[in-house]
Amino acid sequence: MSTFASLEEALKHFFGYDTFRPGQKKIIEAALHNKDLLTIMPTGGGKSLCFQLPALLRNGITIVVSPLIALMQDQVDALQDNGINATYLNSTLEYDERRSRQIAILKNQIKLLYVAPERLLNERFGLFLEQVATKVGISAIAIDEAHCVSEWGHDFRPEYSKLKLLRQRYPQIPLQALTATATKRVQQDIIQQLNLRSPDIHVASFDRSNIYYEIQPKDRHIYPKLLRAIRAESGAGIVYCLSRKSVEDVAKRLRCDGIKALPYHAGLSDRERSSNQTSFLRDDIQVIVATIAFGMGINKPDVRFVFHYDLPRSLENFYQESGRAGRDGEPSKSILYFSLGDRNKIEFLIKQKPEQNEQKIALQQLRQVIDYAEGNDCRRKIILRYFGERYRGNCGQCDNCLNPKPIEDWTVEAQKFLSCVARCQEKFGLNHIVDVLIGSRKQKIYQYGHHLLSTYGIGNGRTADEWKMLGRSLIHQGYVGQTTDGYPILKLNKRSWEIFRDQLPVKIAVDKNKTKTTTTYNPHKAEAELLFEKLRKLRKQIADHNSLAPYMIFADSSLKLMAQIRPKTLADFANLSGVNEYKAQQYGDSFISAIREFNEKNKLPVSLPSKSQLATLQLHQQGLSVVEIAEERGFAVSTISSHLSELIEMNQPVSLNQLVTADKQQVIIKTIEQVGDITLKTIKDKLGNDYSYDEIKLVRGWWRSQR
Ligand code: ADP
Ligand code: ZN
């Protein structure tokens, strides 16, 4: 029945994509030959397409078994938005609705039907399916999340075990099982349970090449670090925490700092959970702060970052959770914040487990995560080795590859450091010890008479940062103790003394590139980013209007292409990857006019930023606050906010929301509309002391840019 010259052409026609993801084409070809299939791909690998495209190219209907109602609805919505006839039948539907869907199916108007496993095998539904089989034909049955049939998997579902009956009842219909679970035991089980007939097994690599991996040391200043990392992102993200309490805390602090964030954990009511989840899917909020309760069934493809605020319990958990970033294949980020304190906390919890064996397994899993976090090898290599894959060379997409850390012998330095801890009578923390070593002139040093110590200033051959790096590494390696109640104080231990006695050499990974990397600023790129933001807003409006999640309208990658290529005609628009004919008809006009408007506005003679303004812009984009930028650059705070307001006026990508709260912006804008924008003082007089000159200046910049 296929009228396409190639599978690629069909892919473009139905889904708008130009190329297949690794493995997809082979699987689809095998499906078209009516083979039984077992497909193993990591989350985000693109499994759905492997049964969806064959379904569209064959006569009859394909039945898709899916465990979660929410997932089902999501996939069907996305398909319908591509102009594809898909539907689902489940218990949430009213009788009339169910009936009319069944009629459409029998009239051969539907290509994909999603059902839950329990329904598929009940008697009434069996009768209906028989009618379907004779009237329109069933081309295949796809079983999504197939690991649910196996008791060996991490998500066994009793209703899935009944799927054994499928083969008996429909011996002629090809079965296609799909999962993201890697273990061999579960794979064997799936084949056996479902009675697959010499299936084609496709195991895709577990490498998620679009995800960048990084570890950040976690210390007392962890929250500002997290905040900064989030501010540097413009897309959506997940922050995972270990406990409900820390989920609530972090979500609240982020909201106070102007980030749209909501919590998600098992302690919330069903209603709250589902409403927070919907807000996240629809981009009404940027960040969801969650326990591991959040995940299964979250199909949002444009999650740009997953940050682990606490240490995950196993590498498998970590990989599943971080894997929720970047399912759309666009560059995404995973950061794990790691501290030894977390390790101790989890170890303590594990030791509470009654069963010896359980304890042993849990401790081993913990060691593997720590190995990942402390490792100096390519992070990808460490993870893939765990999944039984070998990754050769450096990935260039993790902190260790980008900043390879040579191992050096720092025994002498360690001896100096530790003797300084001893001289200070084991009563001070890392920063103070470093101050003494480098001979700092801080008040606190004189106050304690530490300028008189023999170790005062003996470390001036190295920088404060280097001494801190050594100190942290000594703590990590257990060569010096650190108190955990209240302010952390360094304490010597057995190993410290071995180091003094030259019995234990100290090797540390030396981070040579500690100095900040400065990215070069590219004005053209900034423009594309601005347009991208504008198109994102438009996408959000359209999505809200249609009660859809934004990613269902267009993927981030398609918006980026629009921003770069700036199509002027519908034909050019339809050519973009991720856009098919149907979507071009639906949304093309709106996006093309938005692009045209942007082009016209940007043709106006705008003044270009100065070098100094650009330097400020760069730091702003790295997430630094105005005060931090002023410190970094050695300027007055008011100078920096002038830079920023001028940049805003020049339409440069400054995030005003990061600088002034939305509420304040509104009040300031109202006032400007009343009294004019000529002098700041007039505006300030009207507003009073709750508003600073800097805030007014910034908002005025924005107001002027809008004229
Ligand atoms: P999985 O079920 O394996 O986790 P999905 O089937 O949900 O992954 O696909 C993840 C994302 O990748 C979806 O947004 C999907 O539209 C997109 N995708 C799938 N195949 C392609 C392709 N060939 N080109 C571009 N994007 C694709
Ligand atoms: Zn790497």
Side-chain angles (χ1 to χ4, degrees), residues 38 149 152 164 167 185-196 199:
L38 173 60
V149 302
W152 293 88
K164 279 188 223 135
R167 176 92 301 155
R185 187 76 188 74
V186 175
Q187 292 170 15
Q188 284 309 317
D189 225 20
I190 293 173
I191 295 175
Q192 216 167 34
Q193 297 280 329
L194 295 176
N195 199 358
L196 299 184

Side-chain angles (χ1 to χ4, degrees), residues 17 19-21 24 42-49 299 301 327-328:
Y17 301 130
T19 50
F20 286 103
R21 293 257 181 90
Q24 283 180 330
T43 306
K47 282 186 285 299
S48 319
L49 203 88
N299 238 336
R327 296 170 74 143
D328 56 7

Side-chain angles (χ1 to χ4, degrees), residues 11 15 17-22 24 41-52 75 82 144-145 179-180 299-302 326-329 551 555 557 577-578:
L11 177 69
F15 296 94
Y17 301 130
D18 290 341
T19 50
F20 286 103
R21 293 257 181 90
Q24 283 180 330
M41 270 188 191
T43 306
K47 282 186 285 299
S48 319
L49 203 88
C50 297
F51 57 82
Q52 289 169 344
Q75 287 219 359
N82 267 320
D144 208 0
E145 314 288 352
T179 177
N299 238 336
K300 187 174 171 57
D302 52 357
R327 296 170 74 143
D328 56 7
Y551 67 80
S557 58
S577 183

Side-chain angles (χ1 to χ4, degrees), residues 159-209:
E159 66 280 12
Y160 255 68
S161 62
K162 300 211 190 82
L163 292 175
K164 279 188 223 135
L165 296 173
L166 280 177
R167 176 92 301 155
Q168 266 168 293
R169 279 203 200 157
Y170 309 102
Q172 306 305 326
I173 300 176
L175 296 177
Q176 181 173 9
L178 306 103
T179 177
T181 299
T183 76
K184 284 263 158 12
R185 187 76 188 74
V186 175
Q187 292 170 15
Q188 284 309 317
D189 225 20
I190 293 173
I191 295 175
Q192 216 167 34
Q193 297 280 329
L194 295 176
N195 199 358
L196 299 184
R197 268 190 304 244
S198 49
D200 264 17
I201 303 177
H202 294 267
V203 184
S205 164
F206 269 67
D207 182 20
R208 297 290 308 281
S209 59

Side-chain angles (χ1 to χ4, degrees), residues 553-568:
I553 310 287
F554 285 118
D556 281 4
S557 58
S558 303
L559 290 196
K560 276 189 194 157
L561 284 173
M562 288 174 208
Q564 279 157 8
I565 297 174
R566 305 194 191 177
K568 293 196 175 63

Side-chain angles (χ1 to χ4, degrees), residues 377-381 391 394-401:
D377 281 330
C378 169
R379 308 261 181 223
R380 201 173 301 276
K381 202 182 274 178
Y391 188 89
N394 279 354
C395 76
Q397 268 278 77
C398 73
D399 51 354
N400 281 345
C401 284

